[in-house]
Amino acid sequence: MIKIITYNVNGLRSALSKGFTDWLAEELPDIVCLQETKAQPDQIPTLEFEALGYRSFFFSAEKKGYSGVAILTRITPDHLEYGMGMQEYDREGRFLRADYGDLSIVSVYHPSGTTGEERQAFKMKWLEDFRHYVMKLSKTRKKLILCGDYNICHRPIDIHDPVRNANSSGFLPEEREWMSLFLESGFTDTFRYFHPEEPHQYTWWSFRANARNNNKGWRIDYCMVSPEVIPLLKDAYILPQVKHSDHCPAVVELKVL
C-alpha cells in the first residue's frame, strides 16, 4: 500500500514548532504534498525529514514568507517538474510535480480570492489556465494525482453554512461551476469516491469564533485523480484531529504505486 497525504501547513516553520516532525514520524506516509510552506528551502531543517527517510523538494515563492509548495517523499522520484511554465503563477510557487514511473503526483496550491476583487480575478484566471494545463498534461502523464488546497468547496455538503457563505470566495457559484466542470472532465474527488454523502467532513476552519472546536469548517483540500488511477485506489479520508495548521491533512491510499 502507498499512503499519500496533502496538507496545507500555513507556514512550515510554524507547523514544525507545533510538532509536525513528531506527527510525521508517527504517521509515516510514503509521500506528503505540502502547500503554503511560506519558506525558502534554506529556512527548513530538511535533515529532520532525512532522518525519517524523506527526500524533500521545495518550490518556493519569490516573495518571502508567502505561498510555496513542497513534496516530501520516501520513494525516489524519477523526475521533478517545478512550476507550469507560466511566470505569473510560478513566481508564487504553486505547482510541483514528481514522477514515479508512469504515475505523477502533484502538490498544488490554488490562489485564494479572499483579499479582494483583484485576487479573485487572478484566481479565476488561474483556474482556467490550470485546467487547460492539466488536460494537456494528462495526455502524456495519464496517471495523475493532483493533491492540494483548491480553495473551493464544491457542494453544500462540503461547507458548514452554505446559505450564509453563498457569496463568499471559495463557495462562489462560478468557483463551484469550475469544480463541476473539472470533475466532469474526468477527475475524481477521492474523498467523495469513498464517502459520497458523508456530512460535516472539513479540512479548514477559521481561526475565529472557535470554529474548529465547533467543527464549522470547509472542505477545500483534495486528492484528485485521473481515470487511470481509479483502479489503484484503496481508501481516502481526512485527519481532523491533526492540528499544526488551520487546515488538516487529507489522505489517499493506493493499492500499489
Side-chain angles (χ1 to χ4, degrees):
M1 185 193 79
I2 303 295
K3 184 192 288 185
I4 302 163
I5 288 181
T6 188
Y7 195 179
N8 179 322
V9 287
N10 192 10
L12 183 51
R13 286 168 293 175
S14 171
L16 286 164
S17 73
K18 297 170 186 171
F20 176 86
T21 308
D22 293 337
W23 166 76
L24 190 63
E26 195 175 302
E27 191 73 31
L28 273 188
D30 298 283
I31 298 161
V32 189
C33 297
L34 301 176
Q35 301 85 41
E36 216 172 347
T37 55
K38 295 184 176 178
Q40 302 299 312
D42 61 1
Q43 296 176 304
I44 303 298
T46 52
L47 290 176
E48 290 184 21
F49 303 143
E50 284 179 26
L52 298 175
Y54 289 96
R55 294 187 66 190
S56 46
F57 303 95
F58 291 86
F59 188 47
S60 302
E62 289 177 7
K63 181 179 171 183
K64 291 191 174 176
Y66 176 73
S67 190
V69 291
I71 294 177
L72 311 181
T73 177
R74 287 162 58 85
I75 308 164
T76 303
D78 310 322
H79 174 75
L80 274 294
E81 194 72 31
Y82 295 84
M84 300 191 296
M86 304 179 200
Q87 182 60 18
E88 62 182 313
Y89 307 131
D90 293 349
R91 63 197 296 268
E92 295 192 358
R94 295 192 174 274
F95 187 98
L96 176 60
R97 185 184 103 219
D99 295 341
Y100 302 85
D102 62 353
L103 181 73
S104 293
I105 298 173
V106 168
S107 180
V108 60
Y109 178 38
H110 291 249
S112 166
T114 54
T115 55
E117 289 181 15
E118 188 179 333
R119 286 303 287 183
Q120 184 63 37
F122 180 87
K123 178 180 184 179
M124 296 310 297
K125 184 176 184 300
W126 152 280
L127 288 172
E128 264 320 285
D129 290 342
F130 172 81
R131 187 173 66 85
H132 286 297
Y133 178 85
V134 166
M135 290 302 128
K136 187 176 178 184
L137 178 63
S138 64
K139 290 175 182 171
T140 54
R141 304 297 306 174
K142 293 189 181 298
K143 289 183 181 173
L144 269 179
I145 302 180
L146 305 170
C147 296
D149 177 358
Y150 282 63
N151 267 312
I152 300 172
C153 286
H154 183 217
R155 295 163 53 207
I157 195 175
D158 298 314
I159 189 169
H160 75 94
D161 191 344
V163 175
R164 289 189 192 168
N165 285 295
N167 294 312
S168 300
S169 177
F171 197 60
L172 296 173
E174 57 267 35
E175 294 172 324
R176 296 171 60 201
E177 189 179 328
W178 177 88
M179 185 67 86
S180 293
L181 184 66
F182 189 68
L183 293 168
E184 286 163 15
S185 73
F187 282 87
T188 295
D189 169 359
T190 54
F191 179 81
R192 285 289 171 226
Y193 180 82
F194 289 100
H195 312 276
E197 298 299 333
E198 192 174 334
H200 315 303
Q201 298 294 313
Y202 309 124
T203 63
W204 175 81
W205 301 262
S206 170
F207 281 129
R208 292 174 297 188
N210 213 19
R212 189 154 192 172
N213 287 339
N214 295 319
N215 199 28
K216 293 185 174 180
W218 301 40
R219 192 174 69 90
I220 57 176
D221 301 86
Y222 299 83
C223 295
M224 298 281 195
V225 299
S226 62
E228 288 80 3
V229 179
I230 297 291
L232 306 179
L233 293 178
K234 183 175 184 287
D235 200 2
Y237 49 94
I238 61 174
L239 299 172
Q241 72 280 9
V242 178
K243 298 180 178 178
H244 313 105
S245 167
D246 51 349
H247 293 249
C248 78
V251 187
V252 63
E253 293 179 354
L254 307 183
K255 295 166 189 167
V256 289
L257 187 62

